Amino acid sequence: MKNASAWMIIPKLLRTLVRKDVALKPKLLLIAGLVYLISPIDLLPDILLGFGWLDDLVIVPFLGWLSYRSLPKGVQSEIVPDNTENRATSRRMLIYLGILLIVVIVIAMMGDANTSFERVNSPATN
């Protein structure tokens, strides 16, 4: 259960939205990430097999990280206690995310390259 604290970062970060000792900037960054995650409008449309999710996998965690980095140091230490075990877990998490990103790219590249969005004429429409 030593990795359970790593998964608690997200709920703790979300709780900063209602804290009075947190400035508006980190709250807006976090809200922007959440809105981008649920919004149907993306930089890369989700219809692009695999690639449509890549922007979500990059932009949303990046905005969460920016939100965390703009929090006061005291609030940051409440969210992520500073010890060497967390640093090792963070490195391991980055390795896992890197592997996940490579897998998503490989799956996207293995998609059918002959897929086109051209209209197919059926005998009934001729």
Side-chain angles (χ1 to χ4, degrees):
M1 282 303 254
K2 66 181 181 180
N3 286 338
S5 63
W7 293 109
M8 294 305 296
I9 292 172
I10 295 170
K12 288 179 181 179
L13 192 58
L14 289 173
R15 284 188 205 115
T16 63
L17 291 173
V18 295
R19 289 182 64 156
K20 294 187 189 299
D21 60 339
V22 173
L24 186 60
K25 179 183 175 184
K27 291 179 181 182
L28 290 177
L29 287 168
L30 190 58
I31 290 171
L34 294 172
V35 167
Y36 188 82
L37 182 64
I38 61 173
S39 172
I41 300 171
D42 285 340
L43 291 176
L44 295 172
D46 289 340
I47 198 162
L48 299 174
L49 184 65
F51 289 112
W53 298 327
L54 286 178
D55 64 337
D56 292 338
L57 286 173
V58 172
I59 292 173
V60 173
F62 180 70
L63 288 172
W65 178 80
L66 281 178
S67 173
Y68 170 77
R69 295 299 293 178
S70 58
L71 290 170
K73 294 293 182 194
V75 178
Q76 283 183 6
S77 64
E78 289 178 24
I79 294 174
V80 181
D82 189 27
N83 62 28
T84 56
E85 182 179 317
N86 280 344
R87 288 187 198 132
T89 302
S90 297
R91 280 191 215 113
R92 195 174 311 128
M93 186 72 77
L94 286 175
I95 291 170
Y96 292 148
L97 288 174
I99 292 169
L100 176 66
L101 183 63
I102 290 170
V103 168
V104 168
I105 290 171
V106 168
I107 290 171
M109 291 173 67
M110 291 174 52
D112 186 18
N114 295 326
T115 303
S116 67
F117 294 104
E118 296 175 13
R119 184 172 177 218
V120 178
N121 290 331
S122 65
T125 60
N126 286 336

